[in-house]
């Protein structure tokens, strides 16, 4: 269906990743040259607060054309749908829009989290990823949505070692973007997995702290062939206020995961692992250390 939408020119541009490479070094960051995303995408909304209300002025997802809607995952009233992302980052880049007609701001709900996990589990493809940019964390549209796309590259965060923290939650510390990790295999059922994950995210929302969330299929060990688990990564991070610069290296949720979309050819040719490490540390480390002890107290209650 995504390909059919491409054929009828429902996108703002035809996806053309000109080059891809893995940066040399410990973390094997994947970088892709995709200049069309900067040049042809819709102008991002100005985000000034993690509590910013939905605004009917300007673009929002109630204004999608029928060509952009792929299918309904609800009761047929187009409230819960999957739609194309008209400015794609990768193959089959879509948006999961839950309770779309309620016009909720880009503040995660437990319902949307459960729906996106259910969608990930319905797929038998290891390369399906889901991602959430919160307000002041590089969200471009202040209307509740998740990103879904296929990334057919083995990524370090599919199996990287994480440290035990508190029941069902781990710490991602041996990595430049320090954050929290939850594994489906640690839980008896999906409901507990969703509930525990949302407890962490909602803590950040109540603290008015910018954050990003990434969901990926995962392996138990690096040399495993089977992707027999799901991991959710949660990062507290430095806020970005205003309209994001789409021509720069934008450290949104995919970049925190290690998947970098680069708009500028010169940057693509010259970016090093140290450059990426410095950016990721700069936006996450201070906030991770700020909440690590406080969050543990909250989670013990």
């Amino acid at each position: 269906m995504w390909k059919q939408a491409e054929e009828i020119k429902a996108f703002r541009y035809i996806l053309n990743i000109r080059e891809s490479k893995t940066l040399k070094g410990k973390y094997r960051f994947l970088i892709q040259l995709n200049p069309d995303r900067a040049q042809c995408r819709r102008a991002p909304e100005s985000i000034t607060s993690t509590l910013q209300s939905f605004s009917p002025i300007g673009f929002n997802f109630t204004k999608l054309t029928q060509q952009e809607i792929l299918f309904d995952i609800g009761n047929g009233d187009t409230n819960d749908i999957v739609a194309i992302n008209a400015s794609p980052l990768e193959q089959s880049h879509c948006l999961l829009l839950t309770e779309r007609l309620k016009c909720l701001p880009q503040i995660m709900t437990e319902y949307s989290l459960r729906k996106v996990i259910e969608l990930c589990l319905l797929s038998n493809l290891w390369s399906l990823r889901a991602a959430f940019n919160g307000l002041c964390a590089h969200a471009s549209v202040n209307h509740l949505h998740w990103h879904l796309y296929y990334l057919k590259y083995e990524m370090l965060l599919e199996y990287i070692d994480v440290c035990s923290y508190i029941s069902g939650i781990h710490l991602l510390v041996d990595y430049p973007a320090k954050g929290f990790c939850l594994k489906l295999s640690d839980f008896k059922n999906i409901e507990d997995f969703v509930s525990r994950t949302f407890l962490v995210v909602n803590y950040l929302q109540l603290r008015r702290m910018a954050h990003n969330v990434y969901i990926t299929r995962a392996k138990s060990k690096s040399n495993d062939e089977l992707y027999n688990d799901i991991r959710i990564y949660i990062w507290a991070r430095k806020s970005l206020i205003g309209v994001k610069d789409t021509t720069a290296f934008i450290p949104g949720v995919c970049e925190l995961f290690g998947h970098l979309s680069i708009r500028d050819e010169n940057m693509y040719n010259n970016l090093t692992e140290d450059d990426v490490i410095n950016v990721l540390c700069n936006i996450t480390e201070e906030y991770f250390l700020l909440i690590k002890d406080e969050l543990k107290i909250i989670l013990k209650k």
Side-chain angles (χ1 to χ4, degrees):
M1 294 177 73
W2 194 87
K3 280 291 185 184
Q4 290 173 349
E6 192 174 51
E7 288 169 5
I8 63 173
K9 296 182 169 50
F11 294 87
R12 297 179 72 89
Y13 55 85
I14 298 299
L15 179 65
N16 178 25
I17 297 173
R18 297 188 187 178
E19 294 184 60
S20 298
K21 65 182 178 182
T22 300
L23 290 181
K24 293 180 181 177
K26 177 180 179 181
Y27 301 108
R28 302 195 305 281
F29 297 118
L30 171 68
I31 67 171
Q32 297 179 309
L33 181 61
N34 184 3
D36 291 337
R37 187 161 163 80
Q39 296 164 7
C40 305
R41 66 175 295 169
R42 183 183 293 107
E45 189 173 342
S46 177
I47 306 295
T48 57
S49 168
T50 56
L51 296 177
Q52 190 162 319
S53 300
F54 173 90
S55 173
I57 300 170
F59 176 76
N60 64 69
F61 298 121
T62 67
K63 300 179 180 181
L64 294 176
T65 66
Q66 193 59 43
Q67 291 178 330
E68 294 175 278
I69 298 174
L70 297 182
F71 51 88
D72 191 300
I73 60 166
N75 60 13
D77 63 359
T78 74
N79 201 27
D80 290 350
I81 62 170
V82 173
I84 65 168
N85 186 320
S87 302
L89 178 73
E90 250 289 359
Q91 285 296 323
S92 300
H93 188 175
C94 297
L95 300 172
L96 170 63
L97 307 171
T98 58
E99 301 180 293
R100 175 178 70 120
L101 304 179
K102 288 186 178 180
C103 296
L104 301 174
Q106 181 66 348
I107 296 173
M108 192 187 297
T109 63
E110 190 166 353
Y111 178 80
S112 75
L113 177 63
R114 185 172 72 252
K115 282 293 186 183
V116 76
I117 291 172
E118 288 173 352
L119 272 182
C120 289
L121 289 170
L122 283 171
S123 173
N124 61 4
L125 295 177
W126 65 271
S127 55
L128 180 63
R129 325 285 179 156
F132 183 90
N133 285 319
L135 295 177
C136 299
H138 287 296
S140 296
V141 180
N142 186 17
H143 190 178
L144 183 57
H145 65 284
W146 282 83
H147 294 269
L148 294 165
Y149 69 104
Y150 292 110
L151 185 66
K152 297 179 181 179
Y153 293 85
E154 184 180 273
M155 303 295 289
L156 180 63
L157 265 58
E158 293 166 0
Y159 54 81
I160 193 172
D161 288 336
V162 288
C163 302
S164 180
Y165 175 57
I166 193 171
S167 179
I169 303 173
H170 306 268
L171 300 180
L172 175 63
V173 291
D174 189 22
Y175 185 73
K178 293 172 174 54
F180 304 90
C181 176
L182 292 92
K183 303 178 184 180
L184 178 59
S185 56
D186 288 337
F187 295 85
K188 293 180 180 179
N189 53 55
I190 296 172
E191 288 72 24
D192 289 347
F193 185 44
V194 171
S195 176
R196 197 65 166 162
T197 302
F198 188 70
L199 196 61
V200 178
V201 174
N202 201 43
Y203 161 79
L204 298 175
Q205 292 180 159
L206 294 172
R207 284 278 267 112
R208 303 182 186 180
M209 189 170 286
H211 54 276
N212 302 97
V213 180
Y214 198 99
I215 303 175
T216 184
R217 294 276 181 166
K219 304 177 180 183
S220 297
K221 297 177 183 177
S222 60
N223 57 356
D224 285 353
E225 290 188 12
L226 292 177
Y227 284 78
N228 56 2
D229 207 353
I230 282 184
R231 290 189 181 193
I232 300 180
Y233 289 99
I234 304 167
W235 291 279
R237 45 93 43 84
K238 181 183 292 185
S239 290
L240 172 82
I241 305 298
V243 179
K244 68 181 180 184
D245 180 359
T246 59
T247 62
F249 167 36
I250 302 171
V253 63
C254 296
E255 287 72 21
L256 292 172
F257 181 69
H259 173 209
L260 286 64
S261 181
I262 304 298
R263 283 70 165 169
D264 177 75
E265 188 169 357
N266 185 58
M267 181 181 293
Y268 177 86
N269 290 330
N270 293 292
L271 195 68
T272 67
E273 182 182 72
D274 284 343
D275 295 330
V276 180
I277 289 170
N278 290 337
V279 170
L280 298 188
C281 282
N282 180 53
I283 65 170
T284 61
E285 188 165 30
E286 176 186 349
Y287 300 88
F288 172 75
L289 295 174
L290 181 66
I291 65 169
K292 182 164 68 78
D293 294 335
E294 181 183 317
L295 179 57
K296 181 176 275 192
I297 295 169
I298 298 294
L299 294 169
K300 282 181 177 178
K301 291 181 179 178

